[in-house]
C-alpha cells in the first residue's frame, strides 16, 4: 500500500517511519519552507526518528495527494480546515481514503475534525481516525502499545486494522467515531490537568482526575450521539493513563511548567481543545467542570490554588 503523510511534525514523522518499517511505500509532505521538512530533507532526522532513504520527502501537496491512495493527515488541529480546502482543489482527491492521525476539535466551532472533511465534500465513508496511547520515544525503542482505528465505514477500519497491525502496535477496531474523536481530543485537556497537579505537588489527585475526568467526557460523548463507554476505552482513558504519568507527554509537561511558572514551547493541543470542548458542550447544554476549571486556569481567570478549591466546593453528588 502507498501512503502520503501530510505533516512532518513529531507524530507525522513517526507515522512515516512506522509505515516504512512495515514495508509500505511512503511520501512525507511538509509545507514549502517549513522548518521541519527542511531539516528532514537536509538530515533525514529530527529529535525523535531517523528516516530511511526509502521515504520520499516532498513539499508539493498536489504530488503527495495524487501519488497515494491513502492520505494520512497529522498536523495541528486548527490547521486542518485550511489544509483540506487546498486538498479539495486537487483533481482526484475524492477518490482517496483519509486517515486523521491527530487529536483535537476546531476551537472556533467546537466541531469534530472528521466533520470538517465532510463539510468540505469528502465522502464520510472515506474517512478514518487513528488514535490511542503511545509515545514516539517508546515506540522507537521497541516498546509496544495498543491503538484504535475508527471510521464511518466499518470495512475501511477493518481493512486498516488488518494491514497496519504489527508486533509494535496492536490495533483495535472502533465502532463509535463520535466517541473516539471526542475522547481523543479531551485526553489532551486531562493531560494538562494532570500536569497542573504535578506542578502544584498534588499528584495523588491524578487518580480522582482519571475517574471523574473520564465520567465527564463520557457524558459529553453520549450527549453528542456517541457511546458513553467509548470514554473508558483506548481513545480516552487508555490514552490519558499513558499521558498522566508520562515523561514524554507535551500536554502533561505543559501543565506542569505552567503550574511552576516556567516556559514550555512545545505544541500542547489541549490548550486550544479546552476552549473547543466548552464551545461544543455549551451548544448542547452539557456541564464540564474539570474542563472549565482547566480553561479558566490557562486563561488566568482563576488561580491554580483557587481551581482546586472550586472543584472541592461543588455539591456532593452520587458517583454515577
Amino acid at each position: 500500500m502507498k501512503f502520503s503523510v501530510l505533516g512532518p511534525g513529531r507524530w507525522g514523522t513517526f507515522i512515516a517511519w512506522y509505515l516504512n518499517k512495515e514495508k509500505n511505500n511512503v511520501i512525507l509532505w511538509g509545507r514549502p519552507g517549513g522548518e521541519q521538512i527542511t531539516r528532514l530533507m537536509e538530515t533525514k532526522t529530527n529529535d525523535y526518528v531517523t528516516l530511511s532513504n526509502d521515504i520520499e520527502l516532498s513539499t508539493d501537496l498536489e504530488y503527495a495527494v495524487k501519488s497515494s491512495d491513502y492520505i494520512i493527515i497529522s498536523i495541528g488541529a486548527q490547521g486542518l480546515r485550511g489544509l483540506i480546502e487546498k486538498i479539495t482543489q486537487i483533481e482526484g482527491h475524492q477518490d482517496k481514503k483519509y486517515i486523521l492521525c491527530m487529536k483535537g476539535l476546531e476551537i472556533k466551532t467546537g466541531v469534530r475534525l472528521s466533520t470538517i472533511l465532510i463539510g468540505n465534500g469528502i465522502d464520510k465513508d472515506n474517512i478514518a481516525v487513528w488514535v490511542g496511547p503511545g509515545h514516539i520515544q517508546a515506540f522507537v525503542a521497541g516498546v509496544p502499545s495498543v491503538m484504535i482505528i475508527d471510521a464511518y465505514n466499518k470495512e475501511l477500519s477493518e481493512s486498516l486494522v488488518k494491514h497496519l497491525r504489527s508486533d509494535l502496535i496492536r490495533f483495535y477496531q472502533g465502532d463509535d467515531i463520535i466517541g473516539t474523536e471526542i475522547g481523543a481530543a479531551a485526553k489532551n485537556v486531562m493531560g494538562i490537568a494532570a500536569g497542573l497537579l504535578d506542578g502544584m505537588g498534588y499528584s495523588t489527585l491524578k487518580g480522582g482526575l482519571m475517574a471523574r475526568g473520564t465520567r465527564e467526557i463520557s457524558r459529553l460523548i453520549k450527549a453528542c450521539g456517541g457511546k458513553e463507554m467509548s470514554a473508558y476505552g483506548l481513545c480516552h482513558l487508555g490514552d490519558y493513563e499513558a499521558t498522566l504519568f508520562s515523561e514524554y507527554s507535551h500536554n502533561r509537561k505543559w501543565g506542569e511548567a505552567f503550574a511552576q511558572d516556567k516556559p514550555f514551547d512545545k505544541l500542547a493541543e489541549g490548550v486550544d481543545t479546552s476552549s473547543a470542548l466548552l464551545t461544543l458542550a455549551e451548544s448542547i447544554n452539557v456541564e464540564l467542570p474539570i474542563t472549565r476549571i482547566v480553561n479558566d486556569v490557562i486563561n488566568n481567570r482563576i488561580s491554580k490554588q483557587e481551581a482546586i478549591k472550586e472543584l472541592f466546593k461543588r455539591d456532593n453528588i452520587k458517583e454515577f
Side-chain angles (χ1 to χ4, degrees), residues 38-56:
T38 299
R39 178 181 176 185
L40 289 169
M41 286 179 161
E42 292 174 351
T43 67
K44 287 286 185 177
T45 190
N46 59 18
D47 294 339
Y48 307 98
V49 297
T50 296
L51 298 180
S52 164
N53 289 327
D54 294 336
I55 297 174
E56 187 176 356

Side-chain angles (χ1 to χ4, degrees), residues 11-24:
W11 192 244
T13 307
F14 165 73
I15 294 293
W17 176 88
Y18 175 75
L19 293 172
N20 173 256
K21 173 181 171 294
E22 296 304 314
K23 310 302 181 185
N24 296 284

